[in-house]
Amino acid sequence: AENVTILYRRTYAEMPAFKEEIEGAKREGVKIKYLVIPVEIAGNDKVTAVKCRRMSLGEFDRSGRRRPVPVPGSEFLLEADMVIPAVGQLCDSLQVVDGVELDTGKRGFIKTDSLSGQTSVPWIFAGGDVTSGPATVVSAIAAGERAAAGIDKFFTGEEHAFWRGYKKIDVPFDPEAEPVNYARIKQESLSVSERTNNFDELESCVSELSASREARRCLRCDYRADD
């Protein structure tokens, strides 16, 4: 795309995204319009524009953020030939399980046992965004692990998840030692020019030496360096 614009109804301070991702998008030329909400898609056979309305921040809501309030008479058109909605996720659980009725929570996400992933129908197990709502890949993988162990126990009646629990691992430093005041490692990433027209990984992995150094710096959760 030659031009990309994000419409966000609150300000930068309330934006539910990692700061480095917001700044990375800006470096790539993405424009962000704050305190703006889309209200209508304009066009007949194809999109030609988005009708928007300006917002102001009102009182705090249940999320701890100030509620966006429409500004009367502030509508304007933003030209566009493609619109990608990114306003959250809902779950059509009936479609996922082919009509079998499952207990669901708010917004239709499937309720499961927190340890086994078992649903209200004993032989159905679930995990990932369909149960938790929008989350990370790591969370989905963890849900898969819990469901796999839960399914095994459902069929065998025994607990075979022998890998769970803490295991002592040899490391090239003393975990009990006082943290060292190293500066945080800066992760290398591709330049903006190298990111164009490809789907290459933007951020590179840290070396084993850097990872070990980082562990020495911040292994203790009660320790906060100045940076």
Side-chain angles (χ1 to χ4, degrees):
E2 293 181 2
N3 298 289
V4 177
T5 302
I6 294 175
L7 306 178
Y8 181 54
R9 60 182 184 163
R10 289 184 171 98
T11 69
Y12 178 92
E14 292 86 21
M15 204 167 193
F18 292 117
K19 181 180 178 181
E20 54 267 28
E21 293 185 347
I22 300 173
E23 297 304 320
K26 289 181 178 178
R27 287 197 299 273
E28 293 176 19
V30 175
K31 299 175 183 177
I32 304 178
K33 289 186 177 295
Y34 299 104
L35 292 171
V36 170
I37 189 171
V39 294
E40 184 180 324
I41 305 297
N44 293 318
D45 295 334
K46 62 178 183 179
V47 175
T48 58
V50 180
K51 184 178 180 181
C52 304
R53 181 178 294 133
R54 301 195 185 279
M55 312 292 284
S56 63
L57 294 182
E59 299 297 323
F60 289 93
D61 60 18
R62 289 182 298 176
S63 72
R65 297 176 296 172
R66 293 175 64 188
R67 186 186 304 277
V69 179
V71 176
S74 62
E75 290 78 8
F76 66 95
L77 286 178
L78 179 68
E79 291 186 2
D81 54 21
M82 179 180 289
V83 177
I84 302 176
V87 292
Q89 295 180 2
L90 297 174
C91 173
D92 186 351
S93 58
L94 292 180
Q95 182 179 8
V96 171
V97 296
D98 195 24
V100 178
E101 291 191 11
L102 299 176
D103 289 346
T104 58
K106 293 181 179 178
R107 304 175 69 189
F109 297 118
I110 299 172
K111 289 184 178 181
T112 60
D113 180 84
S114 60
L115 184 60
S116 68
Q118 190 174 43
T119 68
S120 58
V121 177
W123 52 272
I124 295 181
F125 294 75
D129 288 10
V130 76
T131 64
S132 64
T136 64
V137 173
V138 173
S139 297
I141 293 172
E145 183 274 337
R146 291 191 294 271
I151 292 169
D152 176 75
K153 185 175 181 179
F154 177 76
F155 280 111
T156 66
E158 298 178 5
E159 181 66 71
H160 292 142
F162 60 87
W163 57 86
R164 289 176 175 171
Y166 292 102
K167 182 168 62 174
K168 189 172 183 179
I169 299 175
D170 291 331
V171 291
F173 57 89
D174 180 9
E176 301 299 327
E178 286 296 306
V180 184
N181 193 19
Y182 295 141
R184 178 179 295 176
I185 294 171
K186 288 182 170 55
Q187 192 169 27
E188 298 295 327
S189 62
L190 297 181
S191 64
V192 173
S193 61
E194 293 175 309
R195 305 178 187 187
T196 307
N197 297 324
N198 63 70
F199 292 95
D200 294 342
E201 191 74 30
L202 299 185
E203 298 171 336
S204 60
C205 295
V206 299
S207 66
E208 182 178 349
L209 178 62
S210 296
S212 177
R213 180 184 175 96
E214 190 74 357
R216 293 174 189 236
R217 183 185 72 84
C218 65
L219 194 63
R220 281 257 305 274
C221 294
D222 62 340
Y223 179 78
R224 296 183 65 85
D226 293 337
D227 67 331

